[in-house]
Amino acid sequence: DGRRVKTWGFSDRGVYKLGDPAYARVMARELHKEGMDIPDGEVSWRLRDPQGSTIREGTGALDDRGGFSVELELPEEGALGYWDLNYTLTIDGDEHGYYQSLPVKAYRAPSFRVDLSAPEAGLPGAELRATANGRYLFGAPMGGAEARWSALIGETSFTPEGRDEYTFGPRF
């Protein structure tokens, strides 16, 4: 009948530590020539560590938005690396897979913050001024701290508002 299922997903952050909670979601849509529908279906999921061992697993159903959420806690002990969260969605009797990678790294939460105030753009040959303010996250200023910086330049183009027929920038 020309129907196919599209799946996609996301997790709540880009990197995790062992022992962290992880929140992930997978979504599905049935695509067809008239558009798309929110499907009904069952979901099974499995979390595997970097060596391929199953650490957690579960089942459930797609919700009324065509999605399924997983809330889990990574173990306190385990291997660092890329953990796999694999889903199997059963929709109208057909199985559809989706895979998410959860990077588990050894990291330390930042102890300071740097705020930069600078213009969004500059012109060639013009002076550009920026101000950086650093502070420890517990509130103390970072007086006398060493700073390193770099600047990047790149080509861009500009189209005046309401004048889509004009573009200024490098030739294509």
Side-chain angles (χ1 to χ4, degrees):
D1 67 358
R3 288 179 151 333
R4 63 184 179 96
V5 173
K6 171 75 176 164
T7 58
W8 70 98
F10 55 91
S11 59
D12 65 321
R13 57 189 128 141
V15 66
Y16 297 87
K17 293 186 305 188
L18 289 168
D20 276 353
Y23 303 94
R25 185 161 174 85
V26 64
M27 304 286 290
R29 293 292 181 269
E30 281 186 300
L31 308 176
H32 49 83
K33 63 183 175 182
E34 291 86 29
M36 71 174 98
D37 293 323
I38 296 173
D40 291 322
E42 300 299 315
V43 180
S44 63
W45 62 270
R46 177 174 288 135
L47 177 69
R48 291 188 173 147
D49 69 12
Q51 284 78 36
S53 299
T54 298
I55 304 300
R56 305 255 192 289
E57 57 189 331
T59 60
L62 291 174
D63 60 26
D64 61 351
R65 295 180 306 251
F68 180 79
S69 296
V70 174
E71 298 180 21
L72 56 90
E73 186 128 342
L74 296 170
E76 294 285 336
E77 305 273 328
L80 300 177
Y82 291 91
W83 291 53
D84 298 335
L85 187 52
N86 293 289
Y87 302 89
T88 301
L89 289 72
T90 304
I91 299 170
D92 295 331
D94 294 325
E95 289 188 349
H96 308 274
Y98 186 76
Y99 156 86
Q100 282 179 285
S101 180
L102 302 178
V104 177
K105 309 283 185 182
Y107 72 91
R108 183 176 54 180
S111 60
F112 64 91
R113 173 182 173 149
V114 176
D115 294 310
L116 181 66
S117 173
E120 281 190 35
L123 296 172
E127 184 176 285
L128 178 70
R129 290 186 180 264
T131 303
N133 291 307
R135 65 181 175 90
Y136 291 103
L137 291 178
F138 52 85
M142 296 180 73
E146 181 181 325
R148 288 185 297 240
W149 63 274
S150 62
L152 303 173
I153 61 170
E155 293 182 353
T156 188
S157 61
F158 169 74
T159 300
E161 188 174 323
R163 302 304 300 253
D164 293 340
E165 67 273 20
Y166 296 105
T167 299
F168 302 90
R171 294 189 110 180
F172 295 98

